[in-house]
Amino acid sequence: MVWMNLTMQLKLLPAPEQSDALLRTMERFNAACDALAAIAFANRCANKVELQKLAYHDIRRDFGLGAQMTVRAIAKVVEVYKRDKDIQPTFRPHGAIVYDQRILSWKGADRVSIQTNDGRQIMPWVCGAYQRALLDRARGQADLIYRDGMFFLFVTIDVGDVPKGDPTEYLGVDLGRRNIAADSDGETFCGAHNASLRNRHARLRRKLQRKGTKSARRLLRARRRKEARYASDLNHRISKAIVRKATDTGRGIAVEDLKGIRDRTTVQRSQRRAHHSWTFAQLRADLSYKAALAGVPLVAVDPRNTSRTCPEPGCGCIDKRNRLTRDTFKCISCGHAGPSDTTAARNISALGSRHAAERRAA
């Protein structure tokens, strides 16, 4: 069994006066966080209980926050200050507010009651059918986010125990810069088209950066958000397709353990942008939670020599000369040839199956 929690995004639809109330509350809340951060830094206090003793009454009086809102501000400051006690944290005026059950409650199927400095505000929200079906499992806190002139609630969803299978075979997945993913069945995901699109985005960014005007910086911010949305959507679609294939064929999923790859590898100057904009970490995270939600085991294997090893049974030749080009593999021993990404994925699949066999034998 695997215990699963997910985060669900809801869009709030406040009336104009409610939007103003939320913005005022955010500004007051984050101003209080700045004041609390100064106290925590001056007293070297990273303990929530101790900081509450030092500042609770003064913060309530000076910023007009409610009791529980003050407690949430103290918790936010302590969480941030703990990360680096040598720096006094600062908070954006419209930074997130963490709500708990005392200051946020659900009203029916499409309303939420939120505490503001102007009192409780009941406002509608919307989401997709998938998110709505999970709302009855909402647990714990919800984060109020202000982004691009809109308000969102990020809610923790308790999925509960998900049965986990024990397959003998694994679908190998090779992650790369040109083909974002390639599996051991020979299927590739988002190759040349995605690469050309990312190159186009890079050219537009460079053009705006050289211009350097206020409007160019505004367009750069908008483009950054657009590219992030594109990458996120693409990763979700790829991971969904991979997990569906593994589920339908009764296999697990094997991927390379790429933690710290940017520190371990070097590339030519012309390839640095592609190397550092590679979103494999996000794709790996999407694969992990989707696989866990579907009850599909996911294992991370050693990536060494996966692109240089012949996957044919009885061969297994390891030589960098096997990799003729970035896209082509040809074994110097047995002559096996094929796409390099698919070859690497087959080796990853074999390593995943070996990992499963060793786990069952232990």
Side-chain angles (χ1 to χ4, degrees):
M1 292 286 190
V2 179
W3 188 268
M4 282 291 299
N5 284 323
L6 298 177
T7 300
M8 179 175 70
Q9 176 180 298
L10 310 177
K11 182 179 179 180
L12 292 179
L13 300 175
E17 61 274 12
Q18 291 177 325
S19 292
D20 293 340
L22 288 174
L23 285 175
R24 286 193 295 269
T25 302
M26 280 187 153
E27 291 164 1
R28 192 71 61 85
F29 179 88
N30 286 291
C33 287
D34 278 330
L36 284 163
I39 296 171
F41 186 72
N43 291 274
R44 291 294 188 264
C45 179
N47 182 282
K48 187 163 60 175
V49 175
E50 294 302 319
L51 185 57
Q52 186 165 326
K53 290 178 182 178
L54 285 171
Y56 174 83
H57 294 289
D58 291 341
I59 293 297
R60 284 204 64 186
R61 182 194 65 231
D62 296 343
F63 295 93
L65 296 179
Q68 192 61 19
M69 193 74 78
T70 304
V71 171
R72 298 314 310 169
I74 292 170
K76 179 177 180 178
V77 170
V78 168
E79 182 179 352
V80 175
Y81 180 52
K82 278 181 177 178
R83 298 172 190 168
D84 188 347
K85 296 179 184 178
D86 295 327
I87 299 174
Q88 178 178 324
T90 58
F91 298 87
R92 293 178 292 108
H94 297 148
I97 298 179
V98 181
Y99 281 85
D100 59 25
Q101 297 94 327
R102 296 185 182 184
I103 47 180
L104 181 146
S105 58
W106 304 100
K107 302 294 183 182
D110 59 354
R111 295 288 189 277
V112 64
S113 174
I114 300 180
Q115 182 68 43
T116 72
N117 273 22
D118 297 323
R120 283 269 181 172
Q121 301 284 337
I122 298 178
M123 56 192 72
W125 55 267
V126 292
C127 67
Y130 172 79
Q131 290 89 344
R132 187 178 292 274
L134 294 173
L135 188 61
D136 60 339
R137 302 182 184 182
R139 297 289 184 273
Q141 68 185 36
D143 293 357
L144 177 67
I145 306 291
Y146 181 65
R147 188 176 64 208
D148 299 334
M150 297 175 287
F151 291 95
F152 299 90
L153 280 176
F154 285 76
V155 184
T156 301
I157 301 299
D158 180 7
V159 177
D161 283 328
V162 179
K164 192 172 182 179
D166 186 23
T168 57
E169 296 184 3
Y170 278 73
L171 178 68
V173 178
D174 178 62
L175 306 181
R177 294 195 298 270
R178 184 174 178 84
N179 293 319
I180 292 181
D183 67 28
S184 51
D185 290 347
E187 183 176 1
T188 58
F189 300 87
C190 297
H193 171 70
N194 178 67
S196 65
L197 186 61
R198 289 167 66 185
N199 289 334
R200 177 176 177 270
H201 287 164
R203 289 194 300 271
L204 290 172
R205 279 199 307 271
R206 285 196 297 269
K207 183 178 179 180
L208 291 170
Q209 287 166 349
R210 283 196 297 266
K211 198 167 186 180
T213 62
K214 184 176 180 180
S215 61
R217 290 192 294 271
R218 174 175 54 80
L219 290 172
L220 272 172
R221 289 193 295 270
R223 176 154 293 280
R224 182 178 65 249
R225 292 191 291 267
K226 180 179 180 179
E227 291 179 26
R229 290 193 300 270
Y230 170 78
S232 177
D233 175 70
L234 187 61
N235 284 334
H236 275 293
R237 287 190 280 117
I238 292 172
S239 58
K240 184 177 180 180
I242 292 171
V243 171
R244 185 191 298 119
K245 177 183 282 192
T247 304
D248 292 345
T249 56
R251 288 179 288 181
I253 298 173
V255 297
E256 295 172 298
D257 184 0
L258 298 177
K259 185 176 181 181
I261 189 171
R262 289 194 178 97
D263 299 325
R264 299 198 309 267
T265 59
T266 58
V267 296
Q268 297 176 3
R269 183 183 182 88
S270 60
Q271 297 177 327
R272 287 177 187 171
R273 178 195 56 77
H275 185 65
H276 291 287
S277 64
W278 185 23
T279 56
F280 68 83
Q282 186 185 65
L283 177 57
R284 169 66 188 278
D286 290 346
L287 275 172
S288 295
Y289 91 79
K290 283 182 169 63
L293 194 59
V296 175
L298 185 145
V299 298
V301 302
D302 190 341
R304 285 179 295 181
N305 295 320
T306 52
S307 62
R308 297 177 177 180
T309 303
C310 179
E312 287 298 297
C315 182
C317 172
I318 302 175
D319 196 299
K320 67 179 180 180
R321 291 175 294 171
N322 289 343
R323 188 85 177 261
L324 289 177
T325 67
R326 193 200 61 80
D327 297 319
T328 307
F329 180 96
K330 186 174 182 180
C331 180
I332 61 173
S333 177
C334 72
H336 165 76
S340 57
D341 291 343
T342 301
T343 300
R346 287 182 61 186
N347 288 320
I348 294 168
S349 171
L351 289 171
S353 299
R354 187 184 309 163
H355 178 276
E358 291 172 353
R359 186 182 65 247
R360 285 191 296 272

